[in-house]
Amino acid sequence: MSATDERPMRADARRNRRRVLDAARAVFEEHGDAAQMEDIARRAGVGIGTIYRHFPTKKALIDELTYQWMEDGAVNAAEALLLEDPWEALAAFVRSSSEVMVRNRGLRRVYGDMVNVLDSPDNVHHELRANVGELIDRAHAAGALRADVGFTQFQSLMCGLAMATARSGPGEHHIYAEVILKGMRA
């Protein structure tokens, strides 16, 4: 547990933390792993020391961003679950994930390592895992998803989509998403 978790933060410290996270998110989305803490500090309008008070290492900052990105993924999956047709719900999640990946270099890195993210023993992304699992289960129950594509296989395909998206030209991410969907369809 960090010191910031043990006692309430002052209002200015909360504002600075939020500014750092917002700036870090933008810098990592643009530059991925090449993002520099100095660039984040400059964008946030704070000193580098402020970043390190909240996040002692770059990895700690990436971990927090990963948590936020997984929360966003859980929301995207929940929105897809609102669609009545099970196949269209799963397809909508794949397509929306593709859209997010093409804009977010940092997230592509995270998806590239998704097995470790979702399978970690201290997995805090249970909502994303549950929502995606429900999308898969509904598509199976409707006979729309190949029987041999379970959560693990879907997870691997999404990692592949992230890697393909990283190497795609403008607008090509749609091609990869559609190929994956066609291959998963029963």
Side-chain angles (χ1 to χ4, degrees):
M1 181 179 270
S2 71
T4 57
D5 293 335
E6 294 172 2
R7 65 184 187 292
M9 275 193 272
R10 295 185 335 244
D12 61 330
R14 279 193 311 274
R15 279 191 302 274
N16 283 342
R17 179 178 168 78
R18 180 79 262 146
R19 288 168 61 189
V20 166
L21 283 170
D22 290 345
R25 189 172 177 132
V27 171
F28 275 97
E29 286 175 2
E30 291 171 18
H31 303 289
D33 284 343
Q36 298 296 311
M37 298 297 257
E38 293 80 9
D39 296 331
I40 295 167
R42 193 171 19 264
R43 188 172 284 199
V46 300
I48 194 79
T50 299
I51 293 177
Y52 285 111
R53 270 192 297 284
H54 292 283
F55 304 99
T57 64
K58 186 176 181 180
K59 182 185 180 322
L61 181 55
I62 291 171
D63 288 347
E64 178 65 25
L65 291 174
T66 298
Y67 180 80
Q68 290 182 4
W69 290 327
M70 296 303 104
E71 283 183 330
D72 293 347
V75 169
N76 288 342
E79 288 172 1
L81 283 167
L82 296 175
L83 297 174
E84 189 175 320
D85 181 274
W87 175 255
E88 287 307 315
L90 184 64
F93 177 71
V94 170
R95 291 179 184 122
S96 69
S97 295
S98 171
E99 292 293 329
V100 172
M101 286 179 213
V102 79
R103 291 188 314 267
N104 187 335
R105 291 181 68 185
L107 182 61
R108 287 193 305 256
R109 173 211 169 270
V110 169
Y111 265 97
D113 195 28
M114 187 57 73
V115 172
N116 292 332
V117 170
L118 290 178
D119 289 341
S120 67
D122 58 342
N123 180 4
V124 294
H125 309 295
H126 56 85
E127 186 178 2
L128 174 59
R129 189 179 183 88
N131 290 350
V132 170
E134 187 174 344
L135 286 167
I136 291 168
D137 291 346
R138 285 178 53 198
H140 276 144
L145 179 63
R146 288 173 50 149
D148 58 349
V149 176
F151 185 86
T152 301
Q153 292 75 26
F154 182 80
Q155 186 176 343
S156 295
L157 290 167
M158 294 303 286
C159 292
L161 180 59
M163 303 314 323
T165 300
R167 292 174 173 75
S168 68
E172 290 181 349
H173 63 286
H174 295 293
I175 296 167
Y176 302 117
E178 295 306 318
V179 167
I180 286 172
L181 288 168
K182 188 170 184 174
M184 289 191 311
R185 187 94 194 229

